[in-house]
Amino acid sequence: MKKRFLSMCLFVLVVLGGTKNYAQDLNFNESWTFFNDKAPGAEQPNFDDSNWRKLNLPHDWAIEGPFDEKYNARAGGLPFHGTGWYRKTFKVPATAKGKVVRIDFEGAMYNAHVWVNGKLVGNRPYGYIGFEFDISNYLNYGEQENVIAVRLTPEDLSSRWYPGAGIYRSVWLKIDEPVHVQQWGVYITTPTVTEKIAVIQNETTINNKSNQDALVEVTQEYFDPNGSSVGKVAEQITVKAGKSATSALYHKIKNPKRWDIYQPNLYKAVTTITKNGKVIDQEENTIGLRSIAYTKDGFFLNNKKVRFNGVCLHHDNGALGAAVYKRADERKLQIMKDMGVNAIRTSHNPPSREFLEVCDELGLVVLDEAFDVWKMEKVPNGYNKFFEEWAERDIKDMVRRDRNHPSVIMWSIGNEIIEQKDKKNGWKVAKMLHDYCVEIDPTRPTTAGFNNYRGPYDNNMAQQVQIAGANYKPSMYSELRSMYPEMPLYGSETSSCTSSRGVYHLPIKKYKTHESLHVTSYDLIGPPWAYPPDIEFHFQEQNPSVMGEFIWTGFDYLGEPTPYGGKDNSTNGYWNGDWPSHSSYFGAVDLCGFPKDRFFLYQSQWTTKPMIHLLPHWNWKGMEGQTIPVYCYTNLDAAELFVNGKSMGKKVKGKDLTTLKIDFLRYKPKTFDSKYRLSWEVPYKAGNIKVVGYKNGKVVKEEQIFTAGKPAKISLSVDRTEIDADGRDLAYVTVRIEDKNGNLCPNADNLVNFSVKGAGELVAVDNGNQISVESFQADHRKAFSGMCLAVLKSSKESGTIRLKAKSKSLKSATIVVKTK
């Protein structure tokens, strides 16, 4: 990225006061107007938008609601389709005339059309990939104003999940010299990385928009994780008038600090272009020095075998919708790391720039995915409408944009595409997309998520990618390995277990749906293709050459409320039969970021730090004497359960098994004896339950749950007590309803009212309840399973944000967050 000015004050200084002698990318997010409807003539500069709403980007208009049964629950029950207009008035200094001025959108949802001063400069249908237009010839320079207008027309029945709507990622105004680095034109690879030496190869493509040949010097300088320069190389090249040329340089670094999932060391590469001794362009890229390799035996990072403890993630951030906040992605990914996650699959589209930056910083490897559909439709207005014209451009741009991120280790060309059953042409499309990726970046393998076993293998489609991903086929791993012994293999989508946080249905039984429209958290319910996590653990263990798994999903997401509402991949259908169910149950973490019990089941398999987790809650009034199944998830050797101080016996992990009721495709048994969870059958009596964990015979960890009394107070905690005063940083406040002794009231649904004072605002509320249609942008929220969430956003003023939470008959609470 070029050095970016995030303050509009600096933007004004640069635009109105003159530029430096080389280009800058200027943040263009502030001071837009917005109108959510058709507006004939709104592309014209003299159009009157004085009554339009004033806002800053990024912005998702659909998350503002309201929820309504007339909108498709499959896409979140929110108004994401229709027409939205954005307009902005701005000046460009006279000194910019003769330069190259571009407008860069990181993402607009979707079918964007862009006008400058009434002239159409371009359009881009796909909402998940960035694009830019050269607007130099459309601008007024000096004191005369310019108007940019953007129209978005997202369609109904265009997505299988909540896509969001609006200019939901950042916009940049780029003012460049005629000779400048092409968009995403710096391509950095590491052909050699060992403990002793790293070779960095840098290919920089330079455009010359002038009418004269240009002799330029290209300099590459590298800085280590501490900011110290570790080398500089340079060369001169001639860029012909109206053409492009590529500089290719390499540099060796001794004893490199390698990037991996344990120590994500990041270097900085600074590319500088000079002409006649003056700097005319400069670009910075954050890079990681690492090697990747795939064999039939697994995935290797820096020559060490790494198994994917992976999750699939959709792009929304719950109550914030699709609008990009780096802190929201950072928090999401930190929670995933706490679960033991080391790998992310971006389902089913390219992620934001910020998302990949956080993955680089945290040491998470990424499967970067392009599409959910090719030519054959899943929904009537899906990407299939644009595939023929735009697929090549979109997938190549994804690869160009993301290829310098060390976190990215695979390019996925598709997910569960319908062409798997097309014997004649499906493989040809797969080959075409594979070739596009390899053309732009041959250093990473291609992959796809295949679910139509054995179709893609028999139809020569799986053979077109370098690594074939298997969706929901754990019992087929050994068969696949025998059929294709040299092909690397992994579970690209696994489990699809569903649950609602804090909800337990008794007796334990396998059901399709429940009258409550919730799903039990005993972690066994899912759609017909789905299975408990234990099944995947078992088959991964039986097949050590399988590279790991990506569970569906790490977080709940808006839309696709399986097992309620409809059937996956069904066309022309609204999923509103079980309204108000409107958001996912698949996550190991709910929409708020609060862990469900399943989070701890994965943590027990994917982490080594001693942990133990106990379920369910212990508030079962009216069920005295009846049997309650108690489960324990732990990575310790053994655990002992106590009920009101009395031992219920010690269980040894791996020896004492828990029988699960199951029923899923391609697996005949109806039960599975799991060694991955411990369990007891306990007669209910109010009081407390406690589990004690043992390692090598010694007590290491324990957890205790009390029968809670009636709700008495609100308890607040915040993820960070100090945030940046940049107008975008976030603080997440967890709200608990507790009894007088501080125990969570697990059945509480009290209405909590919020008020905020100081240097920030309440930007969202949520509770993780998949059937709640309360507004995400209200100043109140009901608790669900005793908890809810308030999200604070900073202003640009240093100071404090004071949040007060009140509820009828409960003791209120206040929390303070500093901004600086």
Side-chain angles (χ1 to χ4, degrees):
M1 293 294 165
K2 294 177 183 175
K3 185 177 180 183
R4 290 181 163 165
F5 291 96
L6 300 182
S7 165
M8 285 304 295
C9 293
L10 285 177
F11 171 76
V12 172
L13 287 174
V14 173
V15 172
L16 299 184
T19 62
K20 291 185 178 181
N21 64 341
Y22 64 92
Q24 301 289 342
D25 291 359
L26 308 169
N27 187 276
F28 211 56
N29 283 343
E30 295 200 4
S31 302
W32 290 74
T33 60
F34 170 69
F35 184 67
N36 190 191
D37 205 346
K38 293 180 180 179
E43 73 278 7
Q44 297 302 321
N46 59 355
F47 181 86
D48 183 7
D49 63 1
S50 58
N51 292 324
W52 286 16
R53 178 179 166 191
K54 295 174 175 58
L55 53 74
N56 298 329
L57 306 178
H59 173 240
D60 174 4
W61 83 62
I63 201 64
E64 298 166 3
F67 288 102
D68 198 302
E69 193 172 2
K70 68 183 180 182
Y71 304 122
N72 197 346
R74 190 184 201 190
L78 289 163
F80 73 90
H81 50 85
T83 300
W85 281 93
Y86 295 83
R87 286 168 50 95
K88 179 180 173 73
T89 301
F90 63 103
K91 293 180 180 180
V92 177
T95 53
K97 194 167 186 178
K99 300 181 188 295
V100 176
V101 183
R102 293 171 287 168
I103 189 74
D104 182 340
F105 293 83
E106 293 194 9
M109 190 65 69
Y110 75 76
N111 200 17
H113 287 71
V114 180
W115 290 264
V116 173
N117 294 328
K119 306 293 186 182
L120 180 67
V121 297
N123 74 291
R124 193 66 174 257
Y126 198 33
Y128 292 106
I129 193 66
F131 56 94
E132 70 172 24
F133 300 121
D134 185 338
I135 59 174
S136 309
N137 295 330
Y138 301 89
L139 292 171
N140 301 311
Y141 295 89
E143 291 303 309
Q144 192 173 351
E145 291 184 330
N146 298 277
V147 175
I148 183 170
V150 182
R151 187 189 68 199
L152 302 170
T153 53
E155 295 182 278
D156 194 11
L157 296 172
S158 60
S159 176
R160 297 191 299 125
W161 55 85
Y162 176 77
I167 307 178
Y168 72 109
R169 295 178 183 170
S170 286
V171 180
W172 304 90
L173 187 71
K174 301 178 177 180
I175 303 177
D176 288 309
E177 297 295 328
V179 180
H180 58 270
V181 177
Q182 180 177 289
Q183 183 188 30
W184 308 317
V186 176
Y187 177 36
I188 300 173
T189 56
T190 52
T192 299
V193 180
T194 68
E195 284 188 51
K196 295 183 179 180
I197 194 76
V199 176
I200 304 176
Q201 183 174 304
N202 190 319
E203 300 170 54
T204 298
T205 301
I206 301 166
N207 291 341
N208 184 355
K209 296 289 186 178
S210 74
N211 56 10
Q212 293 183 340
D213 295 352
L215 177 65
V216 299
E217 183 170 85
V218 183
T219 303
Q220 310 287 357
E221 186 169 12
Y222 300 99
F223 299 84
D224 69 14
N226 297 319
S228 300
S229 177
V230 290
K232 181 188 293 188
V233 289
E235 70 172 350
Q236 288 189 333
I237 65 169
T238 297
V239 189
K240 296 288 186 180
K243 303 291 184 180
S244 299
T246 299
S247 162
L249 294 164
Y250 74 91
H251 179 64
K252 295 179 180 179
I253 294 178
K254 294 181 180 179
N255 303 314
K257 296 177 180 178
R258 290 182 289 183
W259 184 96
D260 64 27
I261 59 177
Y262 305 106
Q263 290 184 306
N265 295 304
L266 293 172
Y267 284 68
K268 183 166 65 176
V270 179
T271 302
T272 304
I273 313 298
T274 57
K275 179 184 176 187
N276 298 326
K278 291 184 177 181
V279 175
I280 57 172
D281 205 355
Q282 189 173 78
E283 186 162 332
E284 296 180 3
N285 281 270
T286 299
I287 61 173
L289 311 182
R290 53 97 176 117
S291 65
I292 58 173
Y294 299 82
T295 74
K296 62 183 177 62
D297 297 317
F299 166 64
F300 295 84
L301 178 62
N302 298 326
N303 298 317
K304 295 180 180 178
K305 186 173 181 178
V306 174
R307 213 159 194 200
F308 300 138
N309 300 334
V311 296
C312 300
L313 292 175
H314 272 309
H315 74 304
D316 75 79
N317 278 305
L320 296 170
V324 171
Y325 293 84
K326 186 172 182 178
R327 174 55 193 164
D329 284 333
E330 182 180 60
R331 174 180 179 261
K332 175 190 285 186
L333 294 169
Q334 286 172 333
I335 291 169
M336 292 292 89
K337 277 188 70 79
D338 288 343
M339 192 170 84
V341 169
N342 61 18
I344 307 293
R345 179 184 178 212
T346 67
S347 308
H348 299 293
N349 44 260
S352 69
R353 167 183 55 84
E354 290 89 340
F355 185 91
L356 291 180
E357 287 174 354
V358 176
C359 289
D360 293 342
E361 293 160 6
L362 294 181
L364 292 162
V365 297
V366 176
L367 190 163
D368 201 343
E369 194 152 84
F371 310 121
D372 181 53
V373 65
W374 296 347
K375 297 180 182 180
M376 300 175 70
E377 72 177 43
K378 294 181 181 179
V379 288
N381 295 317
Y383 184 75
N384 52 285
K385 295 175 64 173
F386 308 113
F387 186 88
E388 290 277 10
E389 181 179 357
W390 288 97
E392 178 179 2
R393 175 77 179 273
D394 286 337
I395 199 167
K396 284 184 175 180
D397 278 357
M398 177 190 80
V399 176
R400 285 191 186 96
R401 187 197 70 165
D402 297 344
R403 61 189 176 179
N404 289 337
H405 289 279
S407 57
V408 176
I409 58 165
M410 277 191 270
W411 305 117
S412 174
I413 64 172
N415 167 68
E416 297 186 353
I417 39 83
I418 306 300
E419 282 86 343
Q420 291 172 95
K421 62 186 180 183
D422 182 355
K423 296 181 180 180
K424 183 179 179 181
N425 296 311
W427 72 273
K428 297 176 184 177
V429 181
K431 181 181 186 303
M432 176 185 74
L433 295 174
H434 161 83
D435 290 346
Y436 291 155
C437 293
V438 172
E439 176 187 338
I440 306 302
D441 174 46
T443 72
R444 297 172 177 86
T446 57
T447 187
F450 297 117
N451 67 320
N452 186 19
Y453 188 79
R454 293 177 29 180
Y457 301 91
D458 294 342
N459 298 341
N460 196 36
M461 179 181 285
Q463 292 85 340
Q464 304 311 310
V465 294
Q466 289 149 298
I467 304 172
N471 286 12
Y472 308 111
K473 301 298 181 290
S475 59
M476 300 293 108
Y477 289 153
S478 58
E479 182 175 307
L480 277 167
R481 176 56 68 228
S482 64
M483 289 166 53
Y484 302 96
E486 299 301 316
M487 180 183 286
L489 177 64
Y490 70 104
S492 43
E493 204 166 301
T494 64
S495 184
S496 264
C497 192
T498 55
S499 60
S500 301
R501 176 184 53 80
V503 173
Y504 307 94
H505 295 147
L506 296 176
I508 293 179
K509 61 181 180 180
K510 178 76 175 177
Y511 57 74
K512 290 184 178 179
T513 58
H514 192 272
E515 60 185 7
S516 68
L517 298 183
H518 284 297
V519 181
T520 183
S521 282
Y522 278 109
D523 298 326
L524 74 150
I525 303 296
W529 64 85
Y531 46 87
D534 318 53
I535 301 289
E536 188 72 30
F537 296 156
H538 169 74
F539 283 106
Q540 291 273 340
E541 207 171 297
Q542 295 294 311
N543 296 274
S545 64
V546 174
M547 294 188 297
E549 64 168 315
F550 291 83
I551 73 169
W552 191 265
T553 53
F555 263 64
D556 278 343
Y557 53 94
L558 293 165
E560 208 171 29
T562 307
Y564 302 102
K567 182 180 179 183
D568 193 46
N569 289 354
S570 59
T571 59
N572 300 305
Y574 265 48
W575 281 24
N576 293 38
D578 294 305
W579 184 265
S581 177
H582 63 271
S583 67
S584 159
Y585 300 76
F586 287 117
V589 174
D590 76 4
L591 213 58
C592 294
F594 300 150
K596 303 179 188 178
D597 294 299
R598 197 159 9 108
F599 173 99
F600 300 99
L601 180 56
Y602 284 106
Q603 192 181 65
S604 73
Q605 286 300 113
W606 291 350
T607 67
T608 56
K609 182 180 177 180
M611 59 76 57
I612 199 162
H613 178 71
L614 188 61
L615 67 132
H617 62 69
W618 208 238
N619 276 59
W620 299 97
K621 186 176 181 181
M623 296 184 63
E624 288 76 10
Q626 296 185 39
T627 298
I628 306 294
V630 176
Y631 283 9
C632 169
Y633 303 152
T634 185
N635 56 13
L636 301 175
D637 298 337
E640 185 174 8
L641 180 69
F642 296 85
V643 178
N644 296 327
K646 181 180 178 181
S647 175
M648 296 290 107
K650 182 187 288 188
K651 299 291 181 76
V652 177
K653 191 174 181 183
K655 177 182 176 183
D656 294 302
L657 309 179
T658 296
T659 299
L660 305 178
K661 296 178 181 180
I662 57 173
D663 185 9
F664 67 98
L665 299 175
R666 300 188 183 275
Y667 193 72
K668 291 183 179 179
K670 299 302 180 184
T671 62
F672 178 79
D673 291 330
S674 174
K675 66 179 184 179
Y676 306 104
R677 54 178 102 186
L678 301 173
S679 62
W680 296 260
E681 299 287 324
V682 177
Y684 176 65
K685 185 178 181 181
N688 74 295
I689 55 175
K690 181 174 75 171
V691 67
V692 176
Y694 297 87
K695 183 77 172 179
N696 298 323
K698 296 181 179 180
V699 175
V700 175
K701 201 84 174 173
E702 65 178 50
E703 183 174 280
Q704 191 165 198
I705 300 174
F706 289 87
T707 303
K710 66 179 184 179
K713 61 181 180 178
I714 298 172
S715 173
L716 302 179
S717 60
V718 66
D719 63 336
R720 296 182 302 157
T721 58
E722 186 174 280
I723 62 176
D724 292 333
D726 61 1
R728 298 295 297 169
D729 206 0
L730 304 173
Y732 285 79
V733 181
T734 298
V735 183
R736 286 169 44 107
I737 309 300
E738 297 178 347
D739 68 9
K740 63 181 182 180
N741 296 318
N743 299 308
L744 176 71
C745 297
N747 299 315
D749 62 355
N750 303 66
L751 178 66
V752 181
N753 293 287
F754 301 103
S755 59
V756 175
K757 294 181 179 180
E761 62 179 310
L762 179 66
V763 72
V765 292
D766 197 5
N767 60 10
N769 184 351
Q770 293 97 338
I771 63 174
S772 172
V773 291
E774 298 170 272
S775 170
F776 288 133
Q777 300 194 339
D779 61 359
H780 56 271
R781 193 71 168 189
K782 278 190 173 183
F784 173 63
S785 295
M787 298 174 69
C788 61
L789 177 75
V791 185
L792 303 175
K793 184 176 74 170
S794 67
S795 68
K796 292 189 175 181
E797 305 263 334
S798 296
T800 60
I801 310 172
R802 183 178 296 271
L803 173 71
K804 186 172 185 178
K806 300 189 296 183
S807 184
K808 185 177 180 180
S809 303
L810 301 183
K811 184 179 179 181
S812 61
T814 300
I815 201 162
V816 175
V817 177
K818 294 180 180 180
T819 67
K820 73 169 190 176

